[in-house]
Amino acid sequence: MNRSRIAILCPVPEYEEDWSHIKADYVRLLGNDTTFIDWTQADDLSPYDLVTPLLAWGYQRDCPCWFALLDRLEQEGVNISNPVRILRWNSDKTYLAELAAAGIATVPTQMAEELDDAALANARGAFGTATLVIKPPISGGADGTFRLQPGDPVPLSVRGRRMMIQPYLSNIAEEGEYSLFYFADQFSHAIIKHPAKGDFRVQDQFGGYEEATEAPTAAQDLAEAALAAASQLTQTGALAYARVDMLRDSDGQFRLMELELIEPSLFLRFAPDKGQAFAQALRSKGTRPR
């Protein structure tokens, strides 16, 4: 049987984060003939049985290019690991409001169309907390994300921009952020991510670190409910891969932080099978009549 020809969309050459270890993982699992294509230069994709945006890091820095690519993939009928419809929906974190309306416990969120001091004051009153987190609704890698204490000014880089405002939940530092991973709708593994002391961002580039953990039943229940709601809202079927990020609030309830359905780090070294289920999910998506 012929191996599926898989193309993985990857960062532009000047992207600052090191993704070489993840590339090596994907080559190990999918084969040396796996092709990596700068997502901004993804022109003719017709030779490939499957295209996946798993490494399209930095798409939030050029939104017009990203959404134009999604439109073209849809128009050309390119076989995508996760459907374009759900990729487009997942690109803007306003989807959290749709999930909340569907009954999913999410981190409370307000949207400011033009962030200013009044928007922060309103959010503090609504959330009943003084410390806030602000982030762009189209973001990744904690780009443009800030924690604001009372009296902190709105950062100039985001003043007047469309921004999300959330309460700072101290459990991010006290316990950590859970990530649960699903391949072809089947649970694979879970990790817990911790920020560096004094920080709130769990990404490696800010000193964060991760470790394997058992996923509590309540966490799995929330993850599966969120994925089911996303599927219903977007009218899409089983996904090749999904990461569900969450943390506990002060009452111990798990709350969804975000769904990662585009280009999540999958931390396959923590998977019991070291990524075999992930590879099988992609190969299955890449198998189609010739």
Side-chain angles (χ1 to χ4, degrees):
M1 188 173 74
N2 292 331
R3 183 191 294 273
S4 296
R5 294 166 295 178
I6 296 176
I8 298 179
L9 303 184
C10 64
V12 297
E14 60 270 22
Y15 192 76
E16 63 275 11
E17 288 184 51
D18 179 19
W19 54 280
S20 59
H21 60 296
I22 299 178
K23 178 180 179 179
D25 244 359
Y26 293 161
V27 170
R28 171 179 64 85
L29 289 162
L30 301 172
N32 291 323
D33 55 347
T34 301
T35 303
F36 295 84
I37 301 174
D38 173 347
W39 74 267
T40 68
Q41 303 297 321
D43 298 323
D44 182 13
L45 296 170
S46 60
Y48 302 101
D49 299 297
L50 181 72
V51 175
T52 178
L54 261 169
L55 282 167
W57 294 359
Y59 73 84
Q60 74 278 4
R61 300 178 183 179
D62 192 347
C63 295
C65 182
W66 170 247
F67 286 113
L69 174 62
L70 293 183
D71 290 345
R72 184 167 63 81
L73 294 175
E74 193 168 54
Q75 291 161 6
E76 295 178 359
V78 175
N79 190 32
I80 308 293
S81 52
N82 287 343
V84 169
R85 189 160 56 251
I86 206 165
L87 298 179
R88 189 182 290 114
W89 176 84
N90 192 228
S91 297
D92 189 315
K93 292 181 179 61
T94 51
Y95 68 77
L96 288 170
E98 296 182 59
L99 290 175
I104 303 301
T106 64
V107 174
T109 303
Q110 287 193 357
M111 183 63 64
E113 292 301 322
E114 297 181 357
L115 185 67
D116 58 14
D117 296 319
L120 295 182
N122 182 65
R124 286 189 172 101
F127 298 146
T129 186
T131 306
L132 302 173
V133 172
I134 60 172
K135 63 181 73 171
I138 302 178
S139 62
D143 276 2
T145 299
F146 299 90
R147 178 175 55 184
L148 300 180
Q149 307 283 357
D152 287 346
V154 176
L156 290 177
S157 60
V158 297
R159 178 176 284 276
R161 286 178 53 186
R162 179 171 171 259
M163 295 287 285
M164 298 165 56
I165 310 173
Q166 298 176 326
Y168 171 69
L169 299 181
S170 60
N171 245 347
I172 192 72
E174 295 164 5
E175 181 182 22
E177 173 187 320
Y178 287 80
S179 289
L180 279 65
F181 301 86
Y182 290 80
F183 304 130
D185 278 353
Q186 298 300 306
F187 175 71
S188 169
H189 60 290
I191 63 171
I192 190 163
K193 297 178 284 187
H194 305 278
K197 186 175 181 180
D199 209 323
F200 69 103
R201 296 164 297 185
V202 299
Q203 289 82 4
D204 293 349
Q205 64 267 32
F206 301 112
Y209 65 97
E210 60 280 333
E211 57 186 343
T213 190
E214 294 293 324
T217 300
Q220 291 194 53
D221 288 346
L222 175 60
E224 288 158 21
L227 290 172
S231 178
Q232 185 170 16
L233 286 165
T234 59
Q235 294 298 290
T236 51
L239 303 177
Y241 58 85
R243 191 180 92 197
V244 186
D245 295 340
M246 64 184 71
L247 79 170
R248 295 189 221 246
D249 63 17
S250 58
D251 296 321
Q253 180 181 11
F254 279 105
R255 291 190 173 273
L256 180 72
M257 297 181 69
E258 58 185 297
L259 294 179
E260 291 273 10
L261 311 179
I262 302 171
E263 30 68 271
S265 294
L266 299 175
F267 298 93
L268 295 174
R269 67 186 181 278
F270 295 114
D273 64 358
K274 303 303 180 187
Q276 291 301 320
F278 156 75
Q280 181 56 41
L282 252 64
R283 290 194 194 100
S284 295
K285 286 279 187 174
T287 302
R288 56 184 180 180
R290 296 179 185 274

